[in-house]
């Protein structure tokens, strides 16, 4: 495993063109969607990235397309043993970890009275237990190095009520709460922040949602994964060195008002 692309090696120390030079990131759920785009953005910014997902074929392809700047590790975020294996692999491949993006999640839209406890547990296992296990597994390796930045992908459904988002919203509100406690407990060496995307054009978006959501958004369109990746890059890099315990809302203005 070597460090970054020719361009980032030439760039050397972190700077405006390579703000993540010398940094290592683990991104969950990065075989597709926002996680994949964030991984690609981080590599372009000079980082080495561990792509992780339960979609092994897709994840391996994404990592292969990034050359020696990325590796793939199969990681079901619900599985504590798999987290330990991922951290061991990080140690072996890179010897450090600077950025953890807890991005993996599942989603559905269903009225509360039609949902059920088994599905509640299933969603919480991915969307809340996953980031919890990730923080526990990754922080020790971050502390062995220069500290780091943890970015938890919540949602505007974690700050505002949306019909059909009782279970998903509960997990995203909880993730924001856990992030703020982690920010308190892990400062000053590790910063912990959330991103709250609005509706983003990714495989998670339910069919037919695009037109309805676009009409209700001041910006008049869906968000793009690269717009979330830019937020993640900001929170991952030294540009946000005094930012912890906060929520970065990237939603085209949709939570601003009626
Ligand atoms: N797309 C949106 O409109 C939207 C809006 C707000 C928030 N978000 C959040 O953004 C994040 C990224 O979502 P996306 O839009 O890219 O969706 P996506 O469905 O494309 O990506 C989610 C990824 O997580 C992976 N995943 C699912 N279960 C997993 C598990 N147990 N272990 C490991 N990986 C698992 C999937 O395989 C997939 O690659 C999620 O946290 C989501 O809740 C999305």
């Amino acid at each position: 495993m070597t460090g970054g692309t020719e361009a980032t090696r030439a760039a050397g120390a972190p700077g405006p063109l390579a703000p993540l030079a010398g940094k290592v990131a683990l991104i969950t759920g990065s075989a597709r969607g926002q996680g994949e785009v964030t991984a690609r953005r981080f590599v372009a910014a000079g980082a080495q990235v561990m792509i992780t997902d339960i979609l092994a074929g897709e994840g391996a392809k994404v990592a292969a397309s990034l050359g020696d700047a990325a590796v793939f590790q199969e990681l079901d975020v619900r599985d504590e043993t798999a987290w330990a294996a991922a951290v061991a692999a990080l140690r072996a491949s890179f010897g450090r970890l600077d950025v953890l993006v807890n991005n993996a999640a599942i989603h559905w839209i269903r009225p509360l009275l039609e949902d059920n406890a088994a599905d509640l547990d299933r969603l919480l296992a991915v969307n809340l237990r996953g980031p919890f296990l990730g923080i526990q597994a990754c922080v020790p390796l971050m502390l062995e190095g220069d500290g780091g930045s943890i970015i938890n992908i919540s949602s505007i459904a974690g700050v505002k009520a949306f019909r059909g988002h009782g279970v998903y919203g509960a997990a995203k509100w909880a993730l924001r709460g856990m992030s703020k406690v982690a920010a308190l407990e892990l400062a000053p060496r590790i910063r912990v922040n959330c991103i709250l995307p609005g509706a983003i054009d990714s495989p998670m978006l339910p069919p037919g949602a695009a037109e309805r959501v676009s009409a209700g958004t001041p910006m008049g369109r869906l968000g793009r994964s690269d717009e979330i990746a830019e937020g993640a890059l900001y929170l991952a890099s030294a540009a946000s060195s005094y930012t912890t315990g906060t929520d970065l809302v990237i939603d085209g203005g949709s939570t601003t008002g009626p």
Side-chain angles (χ1 to χ4, degrees):
M1 183 58 49
T2 57
T5 62
E6 286 305 323
T8 59
R9 274 195 290 276
L17 292 178
L20 297 185
K23 303 293 185 190
V24 174
L26 184 156
I27 306 177
T28 67
S30 47
R32 71 177 195 199
Q34 296 172 50
E36 175 189 350
V37 175
T38 299
R40 294 187 183 284
R41 185 67 187 95
F42 280 15
V43 167
Q48 292 176 299
V49 177
M50 177 174 273
I51 310 279
T52 71
D53 208 296
I54 49 174
L55 301 174
E58 290 90 329
K61 270 188 210 153
V62 172
S65 75
L66 289 167
D68 65 5
V71 293
F72 174 70
Q73 174 83 17
E74 193 166 342
L75 170 61
D76 184 330
V77 296
R78 300 168 294 186
D79 181 351
E80 199 166 359
T81 310
W83 272 109
V87 171
L90 275 171
R91 197 185 289 281
S93 293
F94 306 111
R96 61 184 295 137
L97 178 64
D98 304 282
V99 181
L100 166 66
V101 185
N102 282 310
N103 167 78
I106 55 175
H107 169 262
W108 58 78
I109 299 175
R110 202 182 292 162
L112 268 179
L113 295 185
E114 293 171 23
D115 228 315
N116 62 77
D119 279 346
L120 170 74
D121 291 346
R122 186 164 66 82
L123 185 137
L124 290 175
V126 181
N127 296 15
L128 188 60
R129 174 185 161 96
F132 168 76
L133 291 178
I135 291 168
Q136 287 200 330
C138 291
V139 162
L141 183 55
M142 287 179 158
L143 291 176
E144 284 175 30
D146 300 335
S149 171
I150 297 174
I151 301 162
N152 293 323
I153 307 300
S154 177
S155 166
I156 56 170
V159 76
K160 182 180 171 185
F162 291 92
R163 289 178 189 279
H165 286 71
V167 167
Y168 178 82
K172 293 300 191 183
W173 279 85
L175 181 57
R176 283 180 57 235
M178 191 167 68
S179 299
K180 289 177 194 294
V181 174
L184 278 181
E185 294 183 355
L186 300 177
R189 295 197 63 218
I190 296 179
R191 298 181 296 106
V192 187
N193 293 286
C194 279
I195 294 180
L196 278 55
I200 305 299
D201 192 3
S202 84
M204 184 175 278
L205 200 73
E211 253 181 39
R212 177 177 44 82
V213 172
S214 299
T217 302
M219 294 290 283
R221 62 169 175 86
L222 296 177
R224 299 186 312 265
S225 292
D226 63 281
E227 293 171 319
I228 302 303
E230 290 299 331
L233 176 60
Y234 167 69
L235 292 174
S237 75
S240 61
S241 54
Y242 200 52
T243 300
T244 194
T246 195
D247 298 320
L248 176 55
V249 179
I250 305 177
D251 72 343
S254 61
T255 49
T256 302

